[in-house]
Amino acid sequence: MTMSALGEPCVLLKLGEVVLKGNNREVFERRLQANIRAALKEFPFKVDLRQRHGVIAVFLPEGTSAEVADAVAERITYVPGLVWVHRAWRVAKDPGAVTKAAIELLADREDVRRGVSFAVRSRRRDKRFPLTSMQIDRTVGGELNDIYGLPVDLKNPELVVSIEVDRDEVFVYTGGLPGQGGLPVGTSGRGLVLMSGGIDSPVAAYRMMRRGLRVDFLHFSGIPFTTSESIYKAYALVRALDRFQGGSRLWVVPFGKAQQSIKASGQDRLAVIAQRRLMLKTAEEVAHRLRAGALVTGDSLGQVSSQTLQNITAQDDAVDLPILRPLIGLDKTEIMATARRIGTLAISELPDEDCCTLLAPRRAETAAKIADLKQIEKRLDAEELAVQLADSLQEYKLEG
């Protein structure tokens, strides 16, 4: 592919839900652009972002190679708020230049040599361009058909050549990378994720980031009765999730002694729910300090004994902050599929010493009574204990 025929490599981004935001749309678009720029800080150059009619064009420095442009496009796919990311070519607003770029774009492609069916689909945002969308389709499609002998299929083509006529240039591309969809991170406030080393909580964090929530992560370690393995695992999970929001923070509370106190209370069947309530109370105290407006957990209704409707109700009673449960209606297969797609499943499946194993009664209570739990908390002075646990908070900063 010759640079002269194809023009300049760039990236074209298609917005999703953001375009429905009415009078607030500009706020969402500004946040999205800021998130894109932050995501691209790992590259040794600045990009030029231009917003146009539900599309953001990312222009790269002159001389940028196609390979670097591909890497930029791939990185942007992790930024919530976009539905499609297209590696495009920016060409002059001239029908001849557009046709030449389309011809060059299909050169040396294996699927073209196989004789795939194709279609040209154009969008003319600038009505001053001398050809209508239909005329562009016919002109470019006719040239491609003459040169490559590909069959035309306007309904279900195997290959689509896309042409978008903009104010100052024309974009030509084929295919695209799916984005994350959802809303830009930071448009829905801040939350605190209770982060275990399991499969569910990272997926819950991801789903809330997709809804515009910026999240911090709180991990409860079994230290001093377990090793630091669970902390390393939580750290690895937060690093994997950081691609979606950037600037993630992991906070760790040493929870082992508090668990020992709960176990010593003698309420064996209620120990798990009592522990969960104390975690939530501690998380609420931490959330206030971090100015987070909600807690996020990976609960899925009925998945384990602590997640029955009665036990979830008992946990909600422990705090005043709202508890967001984005996985509440999903089954394990659905959760694992998302974990695999976002790259956290393999990390979650690594062995570690989970703090919850310290409180594993033979039979856990599936319908805990709030009054019984409050009696345990009264003996433990749970409110004061939660403050002490929050005071022991440690931050583990992400490297790089």
Side-chain angles (χ1 to χ4, degrees):
M1 295 183 182
T2 61
M3 184 69 75
S4 58
L6 273 174
E8 300 174 6
C10 63
V11 183
L12 206 59
L13 312 177
K14 301 297 179 66
L15 281 60
E17 197 173 337
V18 170
V19 302
L20 305 175
K21 289 301 175 182
N23 293 335
N24 291 329
R25 176 172 169 176
E26 196 173 308
V27 174
F28 285 81
E29 290 176 342
R30 283 200 303 269
R31 171 57 62 182
L32 179 56
Q33 290 189 29
N35 292 350
I36 293 167
R37 288 193 177 93
L40 296 181
K41 280 185 177 179
E42 61 192 63
F43 293 92
F45 51 75
K46 290 185 178 180
V47 299
D48 180 14
L49 301 185
R50 300 183 191 177
Q51 182 92 39
R52 295 169 185 171
H53 307 290
V55 174
I56 296 177
V58 182
F59 297 131
L60 307 172
E62 186 176 350
T64 300
S65 68
E67 291 75 20
V68 170
D70 290 343
V72 169
E74 198 275 336
R75 179 62 187 91
I76 294 175
T77 62
Y78 291 99
V79 179
L82 302 166
V83 291
W84 282 103
V85 177
H86 300 286
R87 247 293 283 116
W89 293 90
R90 178 189 187 191
V91 301
K93 286 183 68 175
D94 172 74
V98 173
T99 303
K100 287 179 181 178
I103 292 169
E104 192 66 26
L105 192 60
L106 300 194
D108 302 322
R109 287 180 59 126
E110 177 61 32
D111 54 355
V112 171
R113 285 195 289 267
R114 290 200 317 268
V116 295
S117 61
F118 85 104
V120 176
R121 290 182 178 156
S122 305
R123 182 177 181 184
R124 190 180 63 148
R125 283 192 285 272
D126 186 352
K127 305 306 180 186
R128 297 171 299 175
F129 194 69
L131 301 181
T132 66
S133 295
M134 187 174 294
Q135 288 171 331
I136 296 171
D137 292 347
R138 289 175 177 172
T139 301
V140 176
E143 289 288 333
L144 293 176
N145 182 257
D146 289 343
I147 292 173
Y148 295 111
L150 300 177
V152 176
D153 184 347
L154 299 180
K155 289 187 177 180
N156 296 296
E158 297 170 275
L159 173 65
V160 175
V161 177
S162 298
I163 298 170
E164 300 195 18
V165 180
D166 218 323
R167 186 182 63 197
D168 300 318
E169 61 274 301
V170 178
F171 301 104
V172 181
Y173 59 91
T174 60
L177 301 170
Q180 301 300 323
L183 298 173
V185 170
T187 55
S188 298
R190 182 180 291 275
L192 180 63
V193 178
L194 278 70
M195 187 71 157
S196 72
I199 296 171
D200 300 341
S201 53
V203 176
Y206 165 74
R207 288 175 66 92
M208 293 315 304
M209 285 188 279
R210 282 188 71 246
R211 297 313 306 154
L213 196 69
R214 170 163 287 282
V215 300
D216 286 301
F217 299 88
L218 179 63
H219 177 69
F220 290 90
S221 161
I223 287 175
F225 303 112
T226 64
T227 67
S228 298
E229 281 184 354
S230 72
I231 299 176
Y232 299 143
K233 192 173 175 181
Y235 183 90
L237 288 167
V238 172
R239 277 194 69 96
L241 291 168
D242 190 58
R243 295 173 298 173
F244 302 104
Q245 67 168 10
S248 300
R249 298 185 294 179
L250 171 64
W251 306 89
V252 177
V253 170
F255 200 62
K257 290 183 179 179
Q259 289 178 291
Q260 191 178 51
S261 298
I262 293 172
K263 193 169 185 178
S265 70
Q267 300 291 328
D268 193 47
R269 284 173 61 102
L270 290 173
V272 172
I273 304 303
Q275 170 187 271
R276 289 285 293 173
R277 281 174 60 100
L278 182 56
M279 285 179 169
L280 289 167
K281 287 178 182 294
T282 304
E284 183 176 51
E285 177 65 27
V286 174
H288 287 320
R289 299 181 187 189
L290 299 178
R291 297 184 179 179
L295 306 179
V296 180
T297 73
D299 294 332
S300 171
L301 186 62
Q303 186 179 118
V304 294
S305 61
S306 64
Q307 295 171 16
T308 62
L309 183 58
Q310 296 94 323
N311 284 349
I312 287 175
T313 301
Q315 291 171 55
D316 282 339
D317 173 75
V319 294
D320 293 325
L321 278 181
I323 303 174
L324 306 180
R325 297 181 171 93
L327 311 186
I328 196 71
L330 301 184
D331 61 32
K332 200 67 176 183
T333 302
E334 294 170 307
I335 296 169
M336 289 179 69
T338 300
R340 186 177 294 108
R341 181 173 61 79
I342 65 176
T344 59
L345 182 61
I347 302 171
S348 295
E349 290 179 333
L350 293 173
D352 71 302
E353 288 186 288
D354 190 282
C355 69
C356 294
T357 58
L358 299 178
L359 286 177
R362 291 182 182 178
R363 294 183 62 193
E365 181 61 64
T366 58
K369 292 182 173 59
I370 293 174
D372 294 338
L373 291 163
K374 287 186 173 181
Q375 283 299 316
I376 297 173
E377 292 169 353
K378 187 175 181 180
R379 291 195 293 271
L380 293 174
D381 194 4
E383 302 296 334
E384 178 59 29
L385 182 54
V387 173
Q388 293 174 7
L389 288 166
D391 287 340
S392 69
L393 198 66
Q394 291 182 300
E395 182 180 4
Y396 285 72
K397 294 184 178 180
L398 301 189
E399 297 178 0

